[in-house]
Amino acid sequence: MVEERRPQGDASRDHHPHRAGELVLRLAGPDGSPLAEREVEVAQTRHAFGFGSTGFELIPHANGEEDAAALAEDWLGVFDTATLPFYRGDFEPRRGEPRTERIRTAARWFADRGVRLKGHPLVWHTVKAPWMDAMPLDAAWEETLHRIRREVGDFRGLIGSWDVVNEAVIMPVFENEPDGVPNAISRVARAKGRIPLIREAFAAARETDPGATLLLNDFDLSSAYECLIEGLLENGVRIDALGLQTHMHQGYWGEEAMLAMVDRFARYGLPLHLTENTLLSGELMPADIVDLNDYQPESWPSTPEGEARQADELERHYRSLWAHPAVQSITYWGITDAGAWLGAPGGFLRADGSRKPAHDALRSLVRGEWWLSPTRMRTDAEGVIRVSGTLGDYRVVAGGRAAEFAIERPGTDAALAPLTLR
Amino acid sequence: MVEERRPQGDASRDHHPHRAGELVLRLAGPDGSPLAEREVEVAQTRHAFGFGSTGFELIPHANGEEDAAALAEDWLGVFDTATLPFYRGDFEPRRGEPRTERIRTAARWFADRGVRLKGHPLVWHTVKAPWMDAMPLDAAWEETLHRIRREVGDFRGLIGSWDVVNEAVIMPVFENEPDGVPNAISRVARAKGRIPLIREAFAAARETDPGATLLLNDFDLSSAYECLIEGLLENGVRIDALGLQTHMHQGYWGEEAMLAMVDRFARYGLPLHLTENTLLSGELMPADIVDLNDYQPESWPSTPEGEARQADELERHYRSLWAHPAVQSITYWGITDAGAWLGAPGGFLRADGSRKPAHDALRSLVRGEWWLSPTRMRTDAEGVIRVSGTLGDYRVVAGGRAAEFAIERPGTDAALAPLTLR
């Protein structure tokens, strides 16, 4: 039976039932008796939706190499999901000497603050380890599978999701090498084919951490990515979520184009992660640049007009994606202009650390309109309260005791067992 | 074992061993005795390589609807392979009334003249049959499989190869409908996915004519087509040859870019057919046009300078592709400017029927430099001759008797049995 899927994109600001739920809870004291007719305070502690950013900027702080407490506060004020860097050339510049400890310390720092983690990327042709260039292809591929198993194993329990293969569409035909030397990953991809490469990489990650969320991630959102995904799915390669990069250095696409793109990828029935989002608060990159890496002006300032535009576009971008049921997370590509990719003013903080309007704009959605701030409620004679809010984690407090719960599904749900405050 | 393939492209004008062979033949008379010390004449009758064009223009002539003998002579003077039209909307404008007989008459006309035939296309979203628009998708797909079986069956023995699915890369996302009504094929492709659609279409064609050469054909030569092909091959879908369209209304790409593209597709180990080649003898289409159909000026004349350029580029184009071992055929997209696609001056004949320099340029290769014209040879005491030439069909004549043979492989080959002239 051939069934037509309807587009799901809808940029309206109306209530989105797929994002919220109501939970009927019976609260009990430590002795099991109902907390009847009591004042309690309920507050959301985290979104089910991932509001992410790169965590790169806080690695020195987490490792005690510098004090970036203000940056950390601004970061934690809007984000709950961090992407940590595993670029092979940086992570293991000398073969056999991975910088595992420094990244693990950062991962623990985030995890201690309730932040979910993603590792990026395990297989990519860029930021290569030059010591792999001259290896025979078999050995280079073995080294790659080895690093997948090593990293996924070393971070099991800390990092819950991985960009296993990054930019596979261009991988076998990539030639824009900064040093002019063909990288081993592209040569392996060309020789093996994309699908066997992805299948083996995912298998290595899956067997090392069967509980991890494994992503394919790409910036090429054309039919090429569709064709690759269709080939993988028809081959039975299990992909847990599709990563869609939307660096918008050349300008915001607008809700309509963005949702049309999201609809094209939503038709595979997989969760979508908008993995790399950038909106500039300065001049836009010229439209004729194809590889964004080819444009890196000496100075690229953030401007007042640019910052107003960025805040406006940011809100529209997040609202439109929040409205689409297939989107599970949005990861912004860097909170600060200091050290930003390409030197572009895409952060929510200026290079001097001060906040741009974009920070407030996002905060007012993520910790405002879409968030249940601490709210007083009163239980009934059976200790029952009804909590409505966006899907995510919550905490209820009464008289010095507390309990955690989650609103996991849209619609109204009743918790089966009483929730005991301790 | 991961093995690297080397690029095979080579645009040099040197001898290309993959295109030629030598056959050692022992000639015998009807009684089996050797034709010793005899003068014979050997001549090539057809290339193994397909030098093709559309056969559309000769359908009225073949059906006796008009006299186009001069056009036919010019066509047969350079081509040996014809593409015949099976566009659903034209072929079956009213459901159940296919124009089989008219096309079959044309197919027989070509076949009687030693011309190989290809049918184009069996599944495509353009030139749709509007009566399919409103059908439920299941029914539209059944209708499509039915037409595949019907056409492949009706032309079995006449048409040896088929563009089974045309432009699958864009198929599910195609929206540039001339009448604004979404076509059924794109909707089926979107709902089923490209790979199941192609698998089922090829299976229907294959089971109807197991001996036919079945092609996938596309104009999108980006990584998208690579990804689609890799998905199909990994899924075990057998494709006999890959069709690559190279309409060059916006200018000749040059040997280097062309061979780099051919190399990308040659790595799948499948024969390549350059299925739709156009080089203009007039002004070029502006480079910013994306869908070529969007540019159709009122008048688009062939010019003397344009004709000189076209002839030069045509020779370079054919020479470079002839040099690449994976290329098995080149089909030019229309011999005459009269009624050409988009009204573009891409033919070898002007609209008034006179020949442009391109016709001579191609003829001097195909029936000149790469061709064994009638050549006198002398057999030795055992009746042996050695014939060297490009791969293809040949004829030997002596004293009113004749026999056919073929040079099928590169290198030197010896025919096992004597060749009997009758």
Side-chain angles (χ1 to χ4, degrees):
Chain A
M1 169 90 184
V2 185
E3 270 183 85
E4 236 165 324
R5 280 177 194 267
R6 297 289 166 193
Q8 300 176 287
D10 165 18
S12 79
R13 297 197 180 189
D14 297 331
H15 175 64
H16 300 298
H18 57 275
R19 295 289 173 213
E22 182 186 50
L23 192 61
V24 182
L25 279 169
R26 193 147 46 90
L27 305 184
D31 63 353
S33 63
L35 290 186
E37 308 287 358
R38 286 278 295 276
E39 286 261 322
V40 301
E41 190 181 87
V42 176
Q44 189 166 3
T45 54
R46 193 166 68 178
H47 280 287
F49 192 95
F51 289 101
S53 188
T54 52
F56 308 174
E57 305 87 341
L58 286 165
I59 295 170
H61 177 76
N63 278 270
E65 298 158 12
E66 66 176 35
D67 179 0
L71 178 66
E73 197 187 325
D74 285 333
W75 199 103
L76 296 166
V78 281
F79 298 126
D80 54 34
T81 306
T83 296
L84 288 177
F86 285 84
Y87 303 105
R88 189 86 190 251
D90 294 340
F91 189 79
E92 191 179 4
R94 277 192 301 275
R95 187 176 183 183
E97 300 179 24
R99 298 189 170 161
T100 310
E101 278 316 305
R102 189 161 181 269
I103 302 298
R104 190 150 47 192
T105 301
R108 286 208 188 97
W109 184 92
F110 279 111
D112 288 346
R113 285 151 184 84
V115 173
R116 287 164 292 215
L117 291 162
K118 186 174 77 168
H120 166 87
L122 290 168
V123 185
W124 195 27
H125 47 272
T126 304
V127 198
K128 69 180 178 182
W131 53 263
M132 282 178 68
D133 287 351
M135 291 176 78
L137 292 195
D138 278 326
W141 184 236
E142 268 314 306
E143 255 301 331
T144 306
L145 294 175
H146 161 70
R147 83 82 49 125
I148 294 173
R149 293 189 195 99
R150 183 184 61 197
E151 270 68 280
V152 174
D154 285 349
F155 287 83
R156 190 171 164 174
L158 263 178
I159 291 186
S161 66
W162 292 93
D163 285 334
V164 180
V165 180
N166 199 38
E167 304 182 358
V169 167
I170 204 183
M171 189 174 277
V173 294
F174 175 81
E175 289 185 331
N176 195 9
E177 301 283 1
D179 65 357
V181 181
N183 78 87
I185 298 294
S186 286
R187 286 158 51 223
V188 170
R190 192 170 167 92
K192 291 183 83 70
R194 294 167 175 94
I195 291 175
L197 181 147
I198 294 168
R199 184 198 291 122
E200 293 174 28
F202 271 67
R206 184 84 66 200
E207 76 191 18
T208 310
D209 186 358
T213 298
L214 304 183
L215 287 96
L216 195 65
N217 189 46
D218 218 299
F219 75 91
D220 185 331
L221 307 179
S222 74
S223 293
Y225 196 25
E226 295 177 35
C227 289
L228 177 61
I229 293 162
E230 293 179 23
L232 290 162
L233 296 181
E234 285 294 322
N235 266 282
V237 178
R238 183 182 139 202
I239 294 164
D240 299 316
L242 294 173
L244 309 170
Q245 302 178 21
T246 53
H247 291 291
M248 293 183 278
H249 293 73
Q250 293 165 323
Y252 177 48
W253 303 354
E255 291 89 341
E256 197 183 345
M258 187 63 62
L259 290 177
M261 181 281 287
V262 168
D263 268 333
R264 278 196 293 114
F265 291 98
R267 72 187 201 265
Y268 303 115
L270 293 171
L272 304 180
H273 290 204
L274 279 279
T275 51
E276 304 184 19
N277 294 267
T278 310
L279 286 164
L280 300 191
S281 67
E283 271 196 34
L284 300 179
M285 185 185 287
D288 60 327
I289 302 289
V290 174
D291 185 334
L292 302 189
N293 290 290
D294 292 341
Y295 185 80
Q296 303 189 33
E298 253 181 58
S299 158
W300 201 342
S302 184
T303 64
E305 315 78 59
E307 292 181 1
R309 184 193 64 219
Q310 181 197 38
D312 174 62
E313 291 173 347
L314 190 88
E315 181 178 338
R316 292 167 55 198
H317 184 48
Y318 275 72
R319 279 194 190 279
S320 71
L321 295 176
W322 180 256
H324 198 295
V327 178
Q328 266 191 357
S329 80
I330 308 173
T331 292
Y332 200 78
W333 205 248
I335 190 172
T336 171
D337 290 356
W341 181 46
L342 310 176
F348 298 165
L349 307 177
R350 303 181 192 96
D352 67 6
S354 59
R355 289 187 202 143
K356 302 181 193 173
H359 192 277
D360 293 334
L362 184 57
R363 188 169 166 86
S364 75
L365 293 179
V366 172
R367 301 288 161 86
E369 185 179 330
W370 297 337
W371 184 254
L372 190 70
S373 298
T375 300
R376 294 205 156 265
M377 304 184 77
R378 195 173 170 84
T379 61
D380 69 10
E382 266 118 44
V384 168
I385 55 169
R386 307 174 75 95
V387 183
S388 288
T390 52
L391 306 187
D393 298 327
Y394 289 80
R395 185 176 169 83
V396 54
V397 199
R401 301 186 192 279
E404 316 277 336
F405 63 94
I407 302 181
E408 290 174 339
R409 278 174 294 275
T412 295
D413 230 348
L416 293 178
L419 182 70
T420 306
L421 278 69
R422 296 179 199 276
Chain B
M1 168 92 184
V2 186
E3 270 184 85
E4 237 165 324
R5 281 177 194 266
R6 297 288 166 192
Q8 300 178 285
D10 165 18
S12 79
R13 298 197 178 190
D14 298 328
H15 175 64
H16 301 296
H18 57 276
R19 294 289 173 214
E22 183 187 52
L23 192 62
V24 182
L25 279 169
R26 194 145 48 87
L27 304 183
D31 64 353
S33 63
L35 290 185
E37 309 286 357
R38 286 277 295 276
E39 286 260 323
V40 301
E41 190 181 86
V42 176
Q44 189 166 3
T45 54
R46 193 164 69 177
H47 281 286
F49 192 97
F51 289 100
S53 189
T54 52
F56 309 174
E57 306 86 339
L58 287 163
I59 295 170
H61 177 76
N63 278 271
E65 299 158 10
E66 66 176 33
D67 178 0
L71 177 67
E73 196 185 326
D74 286 331
W75 199 103
L76 296 167
V78 282
F79 298 125
D80 54 35
T81 306
T83 295
L84 288 177
F86 286 83
Y87 304 104
R88 188 88 191 249
D90 294 339
F91 189 79
E92 192 179 2
R94 276 193 299 275
R95 187 175 184 184
E97 300 180 25
R99 297 187 171 162
T100 309
E101 277 317 304
R102 188 160 181 270
I103 302 298
R104 190 148 49 193
T105 302
R108 286 208 187 96
W109 185 92
F110 279 110
D112 288 347
R113 285 150 184 85
V115 173
R116 288 165 291 217
L117 291 162
K118 187 173 77 168
H120 166 89
L122 290 168
V123 185
W124 195 28
H125 47 272
T126 304
V127 197
K128 68 179 179 183
W131 52 264
M132 282 178 68
D133 287 350
M135 291 177 78
L137 292 196
D138 278 327
W141 184 235
E142 267 315 305
E143 254 302 330
T144 306
L145 293 174
H146 161 70
R147 83 82 50 122
I148 294 173
R149 293 189 193 98
R150 180 185 62 196
E151 269 69 277
V152 174
D154 284 349
F155 287 84
R156 191 172 163 172
L158 262 179
I159 291 186
S161 66
W162 292 93
D163 286 333
V164 181
V165 180
N166 199 37
E167 304 180 359
V169 168
I170 203 182
M171 188 174 277
V173 293
F174 175 82
E175 291 185 330
N176 196 9
E177 301 283 0
D179 64 358
V181 181
N183 76 88
I185 298 294
S186 287
R187 286 159 50 223
V188 169
R190 192 169 167 93
K192 290 183 84 70
R194 294 166 175 94
I195 292 175
L197 181 147
I198 295 168
R199 184 198 291 121
E200 293 174 27
F202 272 67
R206 185 83 66 199
E207 76 190 20
T208 311
D209 185 357
T213 297
L214 304 184
L215 287 96
L216 194 65
N217 188 48
D218 218 299
F219 74 91
D220 185 331
L221 307 179
S222 74
S223 293
Y225 196 25
E226 295 178 35
C227 289
L228 177 61
I229 293 163
E230 293 179 23
L232 290 162
L233 296 181
E234 285 293 323
N235 265 283
V237 179
R238 184 181 141 204
I239 294 163
D240 299 316
L242 294 173
L244 309 170
Q245 301 179 23
T246 53
H247 292 292
M248 293 183 277
H249 293 73
Q250 291 163 324
Y252 177 46
W253 304 353
E255 293 88 340
E256 198 183 343
M258 187 63 63
L259 290 177
M261 180 281 287
V262 169
D263 268 334
R264 279 195 293 115
F265 291 98
R267 73 186 201 267
Y268 303 114
L270 293 172
L272 303 180
H273 290 204
L274 279 278
T275 50
E276 304 184 21
N277 294 267
T278 312
L279 286 163
L280 300 191
S281 68
E283 271 195 36
L284 300 179
M285 184 185 288
D288 60 326
I289 303 288
V290 174
D291 185 335
L292 302 188
N293 290 291
D294 292 340
Y295 185 80
Q296 302 190 36
E298 252 182 57
S299 157
W300 200 342
S302 184
T303 64
E305 316 77 59
E307 292 181 0
R309 185 194 63 219
Q310 180 197 40
D312 173 62
E313 291 173 346
L314 190 89
E315 182 178 337
R316 291 167 54 197
H317 184 49
Y318 275 72
R319 279 194 191 280
S320 72
L321 295 176
W322 181 255
H324 199 294
V327 179
Q328 265 190 359
S329 79
I330 307 173
T331 293
Y332 200 79
W333 206 248
I335 191 172
T336 171
D337 290 354
W341 181 47
L342 311 175
F348 299 165
L349 308 176
R350 301 179 193 97
D352 67 6
S354 59
R355 287 186 204 144
K356 302 180 193 174
H359 191 276
D360 293 334
L362 184 57
R363 188 169 167 86
S364 75
L365 293 178
V366 171
R367 302 288 161 85
E369 186 179 326
W370 298 337
W371 184 253
L372 190 71
S373 296
T375 300
R376 294 204 158 266
M377 305 184 75
R378 194 173 171 82
T379 61
D380 69 8
E382 267 118 45
V384 168
I385 54 169
R386 306 173 76 95
V387 184
S388 287
T390 53
L391 306 186
D393 298 328
Y394 289 80
R395 185 176 168 84
V396 54
V397 198
R401 300 188 193 279
E404 316 278 336
F405 63 94
I407 303 180
E408 290 175 339
R409 278 173 294 275
T412 295
D413 230 348
L416 293 176
L419 182 70
T420 305
L421 279 67
R422 298 179 196 276

